[in-house]
Amino acid sequence: MSGADDVKNAAEKAGGKIKEGVGKATDNESLEAEGRADQTKASVKQAGENVKDAAHNVGDGLRDASRD
């Protein structure tokens, strides 16, 4: 995964946290829910990137093992 993806996902998650906090502070349930949804979306993206990285690493390991 690229560092840019990490930063983008972290920023999206932080934005969701802020949105959720503002929703709580202003008693705006819709904004609060939207913030939680943004955080969940960022977490799912991060998990997907982690799976891609793991698959890439397995492929590299198999490729290296076949060379030995």
Side-chain angles (χ1 to χ4, degrees):
M1 169 183 359
S2 73
D5 288 335
D6 281 339
V7 171
K8 186 175 177 183
N9 291 336
E12 186 172 351
K13 194 168 188 173
K17 195 100 170 140
I18 290 169
K19 209 183 273 189
E20 180 184 10
V22 170
K24 282 182 183 179
T26 60
D27 201 28
N28 183 334
E29 291 179 10
S30 176
L31 187 60
E32 191 176 340
E34 190 177 326
R36 281 194 304 271
D38 288 350
Q39 291 176 68
T40 301
K41 183 174 149 186
S43 294
V44 168
K45 284 182 185 178
Q46 186 67 44
E49 291 295 329
N50 291 344
V51 169
K52 282 198 288 187
D53 285 346
H56 180 75
N57 291 340
V58 168
D60 286 348
L62 290 173
R63 201 170 19 258
D64 291 344
S66 69
R67 291 181 185 155
D68 292 337

